[in-house]
Amino acid sequence: MKFSYLKIGILITCFLLSATVRAQVKKVTGTVISDQDGKPLVGVTIELKGKKSGTQTNENGEFSIDASPGDVLVVSYTGYSQKDVKVGSSSTFTLVMKSDVGKLGEVVVVGYGTQSRKNVTTSIAKLDKEVLATAPRANIGSALQGTVSGLQVVNATGQPGANPVIILRGGASINNPGAPLVVIDGIIRSYSDIASEDVESIEILKDAASTAIYGARANNGVILITTKHGKSGKAQVSYKFTQGFNMRRSGYKYMDARDYIYYNRLGNLNSGRTYGQVNGSRGYGLLTDSANLSSFDIRFYNSTTASLLSQGWDTVGDPYGPSTNYLTGGKPDSSNISGIIIFKNHSKEIENLVFRNTQTQDHYINVTGGNDKGRYFSSFDFYKEPGVIVGSDYKRFSGVVNGSYKVRSNVEVSSGVTLSTSSQLGVLNGAEINTLYRSLAIWPTFNPWLDAAKTLPNPGNSATDGNPLYWLGKTDRSDENNKITVNGAVKWDILPNLYIRATANAYMNEVLDQSFTKATQTYSNIFATTPSFNTSRPATSTYSRDFQQQYNAIINYTKQFGGVHNVSAMLGTEYFGIKSFGMQVAGTKSPTDDIPTVNASTTFTSNTSTDPNNPNNNYSIVSQYRIISTFGRLSYDYDQRYLFTAVFREDGVSSLPTANRLGFFPGMSAGWNVHREKFFQNSGIYKVISTLKPRVSYGVNGNVSGLGRYDVQGVYGAQGLYNNNGAFLFTSLTTPNLRWEKSRTTDIGADIGILNNRITFIFDYYNRKTSDLLTNLSLPSYTGFNTVRTNLGTLQNKGYEFSANARVIDNPNGFRLNIGANASYVKNKILQLPYNGQPNNRQGGLQVFDPKSGQLIWVGGLQEGQSIGDIYAFKQVSIFKDASEIAKSAGNRVDLVAGISGPNSNYGTGKITPGDVNWLDVDKNDTIDNRDQVKIGNIYPKWTGGFNANFSYKNFSVYTRFEFALGHTIYNDLVARTLGNYQGTFNYIELQKQAWSPTNTNTDIPKVYYADQVAAPLGKKNYTRINNANANLNSNNSQFYEKGDYLACREITLSYDFDQSLLSKSKVLSQARLFASLDNMFYITKFSGPTPEPPVAPGTSTITGVYQGTYPTPRTIVLGVQVSF
Amino acid sequence: MKKKIILILSGLGLMLAINSCSKKLDLAPVSSISDANFWKTPDQVDAFVAGIHTAFRNNVGSFQYLGEMRADIFGTDPGSNSAFTGEATQGVEKLWTNTLDGNNAGVSNFGNFYFNINQINLLIKKLNTTNLVTPANKNYYLGIGYGMRAFYYFQLVRSWGNVIIQTDPVTRIDSFNLAKPASSADSVMTLIKSDIDNSVSSFGSDYSFRNQKGYWSKSATLMLKANVYLWTSYRGGGTADATVVLNALNDIQTNVSGLSLLPSYANVFASTSRGNSEIIFASRDLLNEASLPFANTFFPQTGLIANFYDSVNNRKFNVAIDNWGGLLRAPIKIATYREFSDLDSRKFVSIQPAYNKVAGVYQIAGAFANKYQGEQSAGLRVFTNDYPIYRYADLLLLKAEAEVILGQDPTNGINLVRARAYGANYNIAVQGYPNQAIDASPQEAILQERFLEFVFEGKRWYDLRRMDASGKYVFEYTNILSTDAYKLLWPIDRNTLTNNSALVQTPGYPKF
């Protein structure tokens, strides 16, 4: 193998070789203090310009260095402007460092190093510290919501501890959404289970010139998280306690039992269901067996049941009228002569069992300290958040210890360990829609309790159609996720300008899940003459472990030549390896409820999964993955005016075929600090524009994350058993020609500061073309495989990003107001898809009539030249008011979808009747079919962003943070599903009361029917259209596609810092702060559901656009206190 | 100078570190087998043959849908759009209402049959190019491969007419120009017949059954041969093809001992009598291995069926033993149930009627399939019945049908089947051929007998199709009108058309 960087490496190595030494004359001493509060600064670097000697201030801010007159002391400290001081005759100095507040002076982590924002020429965002300061966070990913331009962060679920979906610049993939690479203190790992207080900074590398340093994994951006490390100075102990009060976000209102019975029976009547059929239905029917009588509080009203009125029951007239209308067995049913039904209202009882208000607790303590030789940091966090949906609890313990020590004056050794153990259970049965739809829409006549004292929950018909407390009680679940990182590093300053740093780290992530279901019953089992049980008692224990090792070494050289040429070069190499092990034992038919572990099981089934990566039943599985890399960075600037940076990375990865294994990813960027030019400073404009840095970057990076570890080699996978014979088949094609995905990004931006940087703007335009996308090609049937992975996709994302910050009022001891805002716009376009012989190489999609051209056109699906995520559906023009309107506008209409027709047509088995939807006949051919669909919107937000404001006055401060997303459309399957009565017996939401009726003809809600999806003549398909009640995005009724645009109030925090004078009296406390915060208080949106965020397929990061009920993020009130000793 | 050397060495060291590591990137899978490591041992070949039977088993749902869901068995009863238990048919009704189109094609992607066809193609190729297994096994496995491939193509050609022929294994995709047109139905039929000949000659004189008749066998190939030639005899093959049918079936009867009708019709399907003497080939469903894929669609919800009565046994259904645990999407028409004579043991074995009891009087509410009762396991009913593909009654009735074509007397076969069905009630003068009214037309008699005998075994639609190329029996027995003759074939789902631009929609179905 040949490595193309070899030459570069040697050049850089040679470049480093020049260092001269001169004699010294006298000792110079001094103190460095801050301009902010006049306090000494510890650890300030003092170097002699152009020489190798240097020192740092001690814990009193004092330093001492040998220097000759005429030498220049270069004094630098993070967060402060660099200061150059000429050594004259004086030998003691008091140096006041000017704080470099504001966005344009911050230090940013850039991957294997740091840079000052002043020199940054790529697109890197840094998270405001304020965001992490207050609210307790089960997952730090939520801090990124609305705070970083270019990042779209979606709460896929409000389940505590869950990772949000993070998409950078619209994502770089057509059908394998990728998440940004997360690097925490150099370790590639998950960001879940990290205490937010442990985080020092979060940076997001966005353009390819900045992410190229992470090469093959950086296609979707890089999130760099730096945690807190020891600081020299007096030892300090901090403790923070926060208590959150979580409240459910209110959702749809379901009908009470009276309306439920009335509208469901009316729907049955409208659909022509017989008296027997309606009464044979659960919930609103009048079944007379013991199970139903015991579980459903609904009866005929007659002399026997009338007494129930005194026990809180109520009556409602039956739309079917008296049973005398319906002869059963040749005679009227005497039980319901009255035509009245008596019932008890159990509405909201299940809802109130499912949802609860909970309390979050977070205790955090840390200790830090050190001197000029050694530093240490240690922290411990306990976090507990019971979910607002019963059963979905999250708990975490985490601990950090790290330290560093200078074993020689030029050798520093550091090491650290982090540990976390967490438990995240999720809702029962895993599927949140079961809770958000089935549990809430459950029959309001169902009594969730078997006994009057409400101690015995009624299981209902199944885990999703009953009292969830029964099923929670029958399920014994535990979950444990342990994450351990260990790292050690040696930094050797060979010369003042040159160091080598070698790092080794290991990360172990293990998950242990156990679950056991006791013998269960349904309500019909319980009330049967001989009660029976389901005694399969499945027990499962699953263990998985990823053990990851990373070793890297970098050599770094920084040098100034001739006072104006600043050069910094870094070269490194890295080994990354991960070994995974997973196993499961799963048994059934334990003889007892008393042993939850698998040892009591008696039946064990072999793996029958045909996917070797996702075995089922009993298995153990191992796999490995490695990447070996070389990388480097060269930065040059001329007098901090002309800036240039080049980076590269070469990765070799084990999951690619040998011939295509190496990928080379370069990045280049350049910038111009115009404000440092004399001509600019001399012009009047400098008084207004204090910083102006246009910059441009170009780079290439890659991705292979969509590729399984051994996919390219082809798979012969186990197929379970056939008559006790083990079976194998060829299940995955060999793909020996696959190679890297490559993203090429051009980024043009500018950093602008106005009025001495009181107002700052950062702007970026980018154009990213991802080619060789690892894209699935759907194969023709005859090949015997559904899809093959190809490199044939190209996707373009273009967009703009803005962020602005302003210190509007800045009165050091009085009123201060800072405002920040960011916004980003993104547009996707598919440029290339794998060839399949179709126009635009279309995959999927629909054929609709295009009124402009008068032709049939293919829309939706994936097509070259089109964007992703467009929605098409049948347009509801109106609801037919009456027969005359139908005769007038749809007399000859044939609705091929529903199988019904207008009065003048003989087609189909049913008729269009008043209260049905008047569909838009796009091609005006009197036939409603697939072709009559129109574009409704797109599932992806176009604009995302947020803004914040920070007011402070004396010891009080208020911080507010808002987030928004605009331009996405959501298909509200939940509303369509309930109104359309797809399930047949469940409750309606209140909206159903607006349905068409002979007395309410002016409405946009169709007439009430039983089960919209069933065949004509009884079903009308007013809701689901061609989808048979499946939750598909396209081809439903346009009425139920809603704009998702929202503005969310993420945080409002009020805090009070105790006076220093007061604290000093305590002689113990050095800092104390009280705060109260309102988190996720409200969304301003037109979307009718509780959460307008783009719906995500559960357990994935794929935005589906179909809302089926999402676990709503709770509203939280937080109280907290933070003290330091 | 020393420092310079350190620098250069450390710089170069970084480079070398990688070169020495690059071999570390060659990783082979441990928990699966890569393409490079298969076809090395006899065990692997044995496991692969078991594999094509698991894949065959995975297709049983499609065999069932293609074989009878569009015929005259299933349906909601007039005036109802849901099953009698209240469960919605959820689109399945498009099969029996014969309203399929590209949106709802009933069976999509050609039943996923090409997955197994490709595996079989690979098996045949590897068997022909390696000598990993003993000659006896090699021949047996080739017999299975050719026979089963012919079975798949026979399903395809009868359902879609012109279909793509693929006989080479696809193991990698090198060109993305993958559009491939369908071959004519005639050439597919030629392939089927040549595969059958290859299968027969590969098996040679090996008439043995393996895996309790859970594996394809020479008898299975001969049954297929009889089916295929019977099909073509109505389509120009005439008596010559019917003779081939007779010979094939006689071949089985002559060379395979122990095949007979079981005295009890119910036992043929019971999970406790797998591979019984009546079975020739069945797809095996052992407990904890597999279960019938269509069970959920065919059987009612436990809690709902418990509201109904079984009039025959004069009892109310109860959740302990009538724990069907499904979601009845495909109810049986009451009319189907009533086709059976009460004296016919097949009636109650095949179909379970459900009644309401109103004022002490039973009123029929609906019916559902009863043939596959599965077994009880820990309070749950698991549908572990084998799915019969070929059995001895089929042999007898195919033979009778060939005899009719050849002008011979079909009485023996028909009456053997009827005698077993009626058991003690059998009176040859009443139920025996040719004494039933329907026996006036031997074809109608056989058609009806096959209907009663094989309901839920995926044969009815093909029977109606087979006996008249123009669709006469389809129009006679189903709701398809003779003006909609295009419905004799199935539509192709839209995705399948998209994925292969050389395919065209079955003529007659809308193209958009």
Side-chain angles (χ1 to χ4, degrees), chain A residues 1026-1093:
Chain A
I1026 70 167
N1027 288 316
N1028 281 323
N1030 292 318
N1032 295 343
L1033 175 67
N1034 289 311
S1035 309
N1036 300 292
N1037 182 340
S1038 60
Q1039 196 71 16
F1040 301 96
Y1041 293 83
E1042 300 184 47
K1043 288 280 171 227
D1045 302 357
Y1046 69 83
L1047 172 68
C1049 175
R1050 295 290 175 199
E1051 181 180 345
I1052 300 173
T1053 297
L1054 170 68
S1055 59
Y1056 175 78
D1057 284 276
F1058 286 91
D1059 256 340
Q1060 210 61 40
S1061 57
L1062 207 65
L1063 293 172
S1064 55
K1065 280 181 196 153
S1066 76
K1067 301 224 165 80
V1068 185
L1069 295 174
S1070 61
Q1071 193 221 342
R1073 177 168 176 251
L1074 284 178
F1075 55 88
S1077 178
L1078 304 173
D1079 293 352
N1080 292 309
M1081 270 301 125
F1082 57 83
Y1083 291 98
I1084 297 173
T1085 179
K1086 283 186 178 162
F1087 184 72
S1088 62
T1091 44
E1093 299 188 43

Side-chain angles (χ1 to χ4, degrees), chain A residues 1 17 461 535 589 622 626 630 661 713 716 721-725 730 781-782 838 930 1010 1013-1014 1018, chain B residues 7 18 22 24 26-27 31 33 39 57 81 86 90 103 109 119 178 211 214 289 301 377-378 498:
Chain A
M1 272 191 279
L17 307 174
N461 194 41
T535 53
K589 297 188 192 168
V622 296
R626 290 176 186 152
T630 311
R661 192 166 271 168
Q713 303 183 39
Y716 279 76
L721 284 171
Y722 188 84
N723 202 40
N724 291 317
N725 299 291
F730 184 47
S781 329
Y782 73 86
Q838 301 290 357
N930 267 343
Y1010 162 81
Q1013 76 276 20
V1014 298
L1018 310 176
Chain B
L7 276 171
I18 294 196
S22 51
K24 292 197 167 202
D26 293 323
L27 297 175
S31 298
I33 303 176
W39 304 110
R57 179 169 67 193
N81 51 357
Q90 215 74 357
N103 290 331
N109 196 26
Q119 305 293 331
L178 293 166
N211 279 295
E289 277 188 9
Q301 248 189 81
S377 172
T498 298

Side-chain angles (χ1 to χ4, degrees), chain A residues 836-873:
Chain A
N836 70 355
Q838 301 290 357
N840 301 329
N841 292 317
R842 172 183 55 82
Q843 297 187 10
L846 304 153
Q847 214 170 6
V848 303
F849 182 80
D850 176 30
K852 270 185 211 148
S853 62
Q855 303 283 318
L856 284 182
I857 52 165
W858 281 98
V859 294
L862 300 176
Q863 295 191 58
E864 287 172 2
Q866 298 195 4
S867 53
I868 309 177
D870 285 349
I871 308 170
Y872 285 81

Side-chain angles (χ1 to χ4, degrees), chain A residues 54 71 94 341 496 1019 1033 1089:
Chain A
D71 279 349
T94 298
I341 288 168
L1033 175 67

Side-chain angles (χ1 to χ4, degrees), chain B residues 30-45:
Chain B
V30 176
S31 298
S32 64
I33 303 176
S34 71
D35 190 33
N37 295 324
F38 207 83
W39 304 110
K40 305 286 189 206
T41 67
D43 290 354
Q44 290 177 339
V45 183

